[in-house]
Amino acid sequence: ILNVEQSPQSLHVQEGDSTNFTCSFPSSNFYALHWYRWETAKSPEALFVMTLNGDEKKKGRISATLNTKEGYSYLYIKGSQPEDSATYLCAFIEVYSGGGADGLTFGKGTHLIIQP
Amino acid sequence: GAGVSQSPRYKVAKRGQDVALRCDPISGHVSLFWYQQALGQGPEFLTYFQNEAQLDKSGLPSDRFFAERPEGSVSTLKIQRTQQEDSAVYLCASSLVGGALTDTQYFGPGTRLTVL
């Protein structure tokens, strides 16, 4: 069973502040890491797909880094806005010994609340 | 453009009833995934289709769960003789390419199943 951990579980941040949270995953057999944002009553929305050690990706005020050797990824939000309130999920894909992999293995998510 | 849709959005079933959950993926998407999200957990992989072929059903929790995608587009997840532990949000996702581990998965809004 793959262990994908996200911390913290929940986070309250003042509007305008920057914040970050962590996704930890097994460092062996890494293939890819996905980040999703899931707002209440909506569909999970893809943010990033990361594959290479040292990858940095950016989308507006949100960015992510990847360290596959030590098994973690950080998601950063700069200048938080109320619309950033959501659950942020990371999902890991492992390469099986047979060379294939199918479904994503998700963490439990970080629930972010931006306070005006 | 139309995203992934799921129906019904909410389903209440009495224990022992059979239920069928529908997923309409994005048109032209080859891959289709089903996930189950129990309260307080991250989504967990159930099964994967590439066109009409069910390539991985390793996540289905019991033989009461059955999924099909007969024409390679719409998929149905069927749960027979529902139990209270089946209460969860069932998410469907599709991706454009088959077998691409880094392909973005586009999620539907989910079906919330409550078994009384």
Side-chain angles (χ1 to χ4, degrees):
Chain A
I1 296 177
L2 297 175
N3 203 22
V4 179
E5 301 281 347
Q6 290 189 248
S7 62
Q9 210 168 25
S10 66
L11 192 53
H12 288 69
V13 174
Q14 285 296 125
E15 183 177 352
D17 287 353
S18 296
T19 187
N20 65 84
F21 30 91
T22 308
C23 172
S24 302
F25 51 84
S27 56
S28 58
N29 295 328
F30 174 88
Y31 197 90
L33 189 85
H34 295 236
W35 279 102
Y36 284 85
R37 172 171 60 200
W38 195 357
E39 293 178 66
T40 303
K42 294 188 178 178
S43 304
E45 174 198 353
L47 291 173
F48 307 113
V49 180
M50 310 183 78
T51 56
L52 298 176
N53 185 43
D55 247 357
E56 288 189 32
K57 300 247 175 160
K58 189 174 180 187
K59 185 177 181 177
R61 294 179 292 97
I62 303 177
S63 60
T65 61
L66 179 68
N67 183 324
T68 60
K69 293 186 189 305
E70 296 182 41
Y72 64 84
S73 175
Y74 292 138
L75 191 82
Y76 300 89
I77 302 178
K78 187 176 176 182
S80 304
Q81 299 297 310
E83 60 265 29
D84 297 329
S85 295
T87 296
Y88 291 81
L89 291 163
C90 69
F92 171 76
I93 292 185
E94 172 191 52
V95 179
Y96 296 144
S97 57
D102 298 321
L104 300 170
T105 299
F106 282 87
K108 293 182 181 181
T110 292
H111 185 51
L112 177 65
I113 298 170
I114 307 301
Q115 295 169 323
Chain B
V4 178
S5 61
Q6 292 186 246
S7 61
R9 290 291 309 274
Y10 302 91
K11 176 69 179 177
V12 177
K14 290 184 181 175
R15 193 173 57 169
Q17 277 185 333
D18 297 349
V19 298
L21 312 180
R22 177 187 168 108
C23 172
D24 283 81
I26 294 173
S27 178
H29 276 199
V30 170
S31 295
L32 186 144
F33 303 81
W34 283 98
Y35 294 88
Q36 178 193 57
Q37 187 189 27
L39 192 63
Q41 305 296 315
E44 291 193 4
F45 170 76
L46 293 177
T47 187
Y48 162 60
F49 290 86
Q50 194 173 117
N51 296 308
E52 69 278 4
Q54 190 175 19
L55 298 187
D56 187 344
K57 53 182 180 179
S58 61
L60 296 176
S62 78
D63 58 8
R64 296 185 295 103
F65 286 71
F66 171 75
E68 60 183 5
R69 194 186 185 198
E71 296 177 3
S73 55
V74 171
S75 177
T76 304
L77 176 68
K78 297 179 179 177
I79 309 173
Q80 296 176 324
R81 304 181 304 282
T82 51
Q83 303 294 314
Q84 284 188 318
E85 61 262 28
D86 301 334
S87 296
V89 174
Y90 290 86
L91 289 164
C92 174
S94 69
S95 65
L96 180 61
V97 181
L101 307 179
T102 58
D103 203 18
T104 295
Q105 293 187 22
Y106 296 87
F107 281 82
T111 294
R112 182 178 294 278
L113 172 65
T114 303
V115 181
L116 302 176

